[in-house]
Amino acid sequence: MSFELLLQILSVFATVTLAISGVLQAARSEMDFFGALVLACVCAVGGGSLRDLLIGATPVFWTQDLIYIFAILIATGVTIIALKFIPEGKGIRHLLLDTVDAVGLGLFAILGAEKTLQMGFAEPIAVVMGVITGIAGGMMRDILSQNLPFVMRGEVYASAAIIGTISYTFIRLYFPETVAIVAGMGIIIAIRLISVYLGINIPQVTFRREKK
Amino acid sequence: MSFELLLQILSVFATVTLAISGVLQAARSEMDFFGALVLACVCAVGGGSLRDLLIGATPVFWTQDLIYIFAILIATGVTIIALKFIPEGKGIRHLLLDTVDAVGLGLFAILGAEKTLQMGFAEPIAVVMGVITGIAGGMMRDILSQNLPFVMRGEVYASAAIIGTISYTFIRLYFPETVAIVAGMGIIIAIRLISVYLGINIPQVTFRREKK
Amino acid sequence: MSFELLLQILSVFATVTLAISGVLQAARSEMDFFGALVLACVCAVGGGSLRDLLIGATPVFWTQDLIYIFAILIATGVTIIALKFIPEGKGIRHLLLDTVDAVGLGLFAILGAEKTLQMGFAEPIAVVMGVITGIAGGMMRDILSQNLPFVMRGEVYASAAIIGTISYTFIRLYFPETVAIVAGMGIIIAIRLISVYLGINIPQVTFRREKK
């Protein structure tokens, strides 16, 4: 299997996971079918589109290969039907959203950094673009459904993407690109899932508090 | 009248309708004059700008032809003055907003799809870009004025744009471009207005509900 | 000192002031460290990035010169530490935010207009791009932290940027570019700060009110 094909498969897989996370959010916000489709699209290709715009790689990636749009359409349809069979309560829906989201985050962050490096940008820019690719879609989803972007409030999310993409830029100096990509994705997914399951949070930024 | 001139006239007309819808929303959100101007601009050129960015048609269209900015300025000024003469109550303001919005939606969705096809993209991409051109400005307006984008909550809005642009891409295979454009716009405006007047909604996406 | 160097120094200085304003907002919204970093980035380079995208000057400016990213990182770290020493109450934090914000607004609005003119766009487009460069970052900050963009609600903010950039486009016809830049920045900062300190507001756009 060629390296480019591997990248494309991972990219489509990440698209599907984030489209699902968009539909799950739409159901929680009581949107209609088309709202769910819009949210799935924004979630799935929002981050990668923003990256492509910022680095000047236009037209954006999903206009060049119809597989992304069809993957989102199918994922949205299947998820809407599947939603009827997920039992209520016990936090299972929330856990499901967190898990598919973590996988999408890991895949897209590293793929975003890889593309940026391929285009000749410096490592720090690749890290920023990787983080944008990973988190911007979810931030747009949260804004469109009128939630405070959860990436910004104490959860280990952007930080997982930052640590993973920085690791990736170092690992690829000493190991083959494929190893660095897989390792980077694994680091992000692991950090994110561990923090979700253990309930680890990041301290808030605060002003000085007066002593009571 | 040449075809290009027709497109430009329709485009300026759509710009004016959406600028008006931005000002109406600004008045409902109690913004100041400059807030109204910003909202009018976002509403009027937001969707088309996003489309141009995504398909790589930069600089965006309104930087190349000053008529758009001046049309928005005049429409904003006239609307702010006209607002003083629209009687309160009876839902007339809401109906007015819906109607100008429907016209803007129909014009921009088809114009967006047409431009995308002109640039050589595939039909599905043209449909997506048409929908973006039609609805993104209104979504930005709703987000900036802190409302849940109404396109996402049960109203027949994005769906009208989707049906109309898909119809357009088929009609143009068998009829002249001008006919296809007018028919596509007519379909969108008709679907949208009929659903508004009859109060037709789209079912929500929901999780399984336990039996009570 | 060369003209280009002066522009770059002003640009980095504006980046720092807006990054600080992002961190101050993050602290007010009880975000975590990474949320503060994201908000600082959005605030500092959001307006300039949007301008670069719209005028087709991609890749955007901060991907070509690492000084912007490092300036934001340092400003964010220093501000988070400094926050512990700013006493509560008396409106000092709010005043601080307004002041750094005013300086960032003035610098970025004129720099944005200057870059747009340099690239050969017409004066009205330069004014629009100047205003976008100045206010879009702050609007994105407000949306991400779920506040109604304060630029739209009665404060003399966008209007200061509009007056200042229009003045700049006229002054440069008769005076050297450097004079026009400094004058334009001074006008914006002065109008904004005077209106803050004197509490001057702009009337709201309203529908006709029935007589009681």
Side-chain angles (χ1 to χ4, degrees), chain A residues 38 42 45-46 49-50 53 58-60 62-63 140 144, chain B residues 41-62 108 112 115-116 121 128-140 143, chain C residues 50 53-54:
Chain A
V38 169
V42 164
V45 300
S49 299
L50 182 54
L53 293 179
T58 51
V60 297
W62 52 269
T63 62
M140 294 176 194
L144 285 176
Chain B
C41 288
V42 164
C43 217
V45 299
S49 300
L50 182 53
R51 173 207 60 215
D52 281 354
L53 293 178
L54 294 172
I55 62 176
T58 53
V60 297
F61 71 99
W62 52 268
F108 265 148
K115 180 169 184 179
T116 308
F121 290 92
V128 173
M129 291 301 166
V131 174
I132 287 175
T133 313
I135 75 174
M139 290 176 69
M140 294 177 194
I143 292 167
Chain C
L50 181 55
L53 293 178
L54 294 171

Side-chain angles (χ1 to χ4, degrees), chain A residues 11 25 37 54 69 77 95 122 148 162 164 174 176 181 186 189 194 203:
Chain A
S11 192
Q25 179 64 54
L37 187 58
L54 294 171
I69 286 188
L95 198 64
L148 186 76
I162 293 171
Y174 306 103
I181 286 176
I189 298 172
I194 290 171

